[in-house]
Amino acid sequence: MSVQTLYTAATGMEALETKLDVIANNMANINTTAFKKDRANFEDLFYRQYRLPGAQDADGGITSTGIEVGLGSRVSSTQTNYVQGAMQVTNNPLDWAIEGRGFFKVNSINGPLYTRSGNFGVDANGQIVMGSATQGWILDPPINIPDNATGVVVATDGQVSYSTSDSTSLIPAGQLLLTTFINPDGLLKMGDGLYQATDSSGIATEANPGQPGMGNIRQGALEASNVEPVQELIDLITTQRAFELNSQVVQAGDQIMQVAANLRRF
């Protein structure tokens, strides 16, 4: 008696567990600034071929189909949905949202990292840094705001200026740059809303905001997570039902094997 039914259904349950983990992470980050939701993709496994399509039948003819049984499924990949999230107005002059494509670049000991989380602040040295409690991620290219600054202004094209009580005009502080990738799905997620470039993501392309292919900067706002709670709940329910169905297949296969094993008693 073949036990393939048990293994095939088990692969489905294992794949659905991974999908459930992805949904749980999406729901957990529903309020994370600029979070991009993930999607689990599935693919079927190998097939056991009992008779190949196009084989000769007993009369020498060619069969139109064959006999094959699949061996289950697995998760092929997880893809990130980079659709723009809603804009949340904060009126904080150091909150910068990207409207359109692009990432901010910050420095780390392991090289440049990229983020869409625009909740920035100023460190003790006057440098613009990403708002993180774990490490001071310095914006690249660096922008310094002096102690006597009374306000910060960021134009849609990324020009950063500040005002002082001694000057009636804005003083330039630096230029923001945005970075894009030909394949953002190839970026490595590092946590803290940060991404790292890989061979799969392609070469980083930098340009001023507002240029072709680049988004604009919106000051005093943050990009919200693009997780849709209703859709995630629907996916959660369908995943749970699919998992239950696969578990019933395991139970059915086990019962059939018991019947077959007990035939010698009759």
Side-chain angles (χ1 to χ4, degrees):
M1 184 68 183
S2 173
V3 296
Q4 187 57 54
T5 300
L6 306 181
Y7 290 111
T8 301
T11 63
M13 296 172 67
E14 183 178 6
L16 289 167
E17 282 183 352
T18 302
K19 182 177 181 180
L20 187 62
D21 292 338
V22 172
I23 294 174
N25 184 61
N26 289 342
M27 295 294 286
N29 287 280
I30 196 168
N31 289 320
T32 301
T33 301
F35 177 80
K36 303 303 179 185
K37 64 180 180 181
D38 292 324
R39 179 190 69 197
N41 299 321
F42 295 85
E43 64 183 7
D44 50 354
L45 297 178
F46 293 108
Y47 285 78
R48 177 178 291 144
Q49 305 289 345
Y50 294 95
R51 180 176 297 171
L52 294 174
Q56 285 189 344
D57 58 18
D59 297 329
I62 303 299
T63 59
S64 61
T65 185
I67 301 176
E68 55 189 9
V69 177
L71 302 182
S73 67
R74 65 182 175 189
V75 175
S76 61
S77 65
T78 56
Q79 286 182 288
T80 303
N81 186 343
Y82 286 96
V83 170
Q84 178 85 52
M87 290 295 166
Q88 295 180 332
V89 177
T90 65
N91 293 321
N92 185 336
L94 292 180
D95 285 343
W96 307 334
I98 302 175
E99 291 183 311
R101 298 181 63 214
F103 296 86
F104 297 110
K105 184 169 74 169
V106 296
N107 285 323
S108 73
I109 58 176
N110 297 321
L113 298 176
Y114 304 91
T115 182
R116 286 184 65 92
S117 302
N119 52 319
F120 293 102
V122 180
D123 64 8
N125 298 320
Q127 294 178 309
I128 298 293
V129 296
M130 182 179 170
S132 173
T134 58
Q135 187 171 344
W137 308 102
I138 300 176
L139 185 66
D140 186 14
I143 297 176
N144 286 73
I145 305 297
D147 294 338
N148 61 342
T150 57
V152 177
V153 177
V154 182
T156 58
D157 62 356
Q159 181 65 45
V160 182
S161 306
Y162 63 90
S163 59
T164 64
S165 57
D166 300 329
S167 175
T168 59
S169 59
L170 294 176
I171 302 173
Q175 174 67 50
L176 283 175
L177 294 179
L178 295 182
T179 305
T180 58
F181 298 89
I182 190 172
N183 177 30
D185 280 332
L187 293 171
L188 179 64
K189 295 185 177 181
M190 306 295 293
D192 289 339
L194 297 169
Y195 302 84
Q196 187 177 54
T198 67
D199 293 338
S200 177
S201 63
I203 300 175
T205 301
E206 290 186 344
N208 292 341
Q211 291 189 357
M214 297 291 178
N216 295 317
I217 302 298
R218 181 174 177 181
Q219 187 181 19
L222 291 175
E223 181 185 3
S225 168
N226 67 352
V227 176
E228 300 175 1
V230 175
Q231 184 60 50
E232 294 299 322
L233 287 175
I234 294 174
D235 290 344
L236 176 63
I237 295 173
T238 56
T239 301
Q240 181 181 7
R241 295 295 180 264
F243 189 92
E244 292 174 353
L245 290 174
N246 277 274
S247 66
Q248 292 177 5
V249 172
V250 173
Q251 295 175 1
D254 181 63
Q255 292 173 0
I256 292 175
M257 291 181 64
Q258 290 181 6
V259 172
N262 293 331
L263 287 176
R264 61 182 178 83
R265 299 180 182 178
F266 294 97

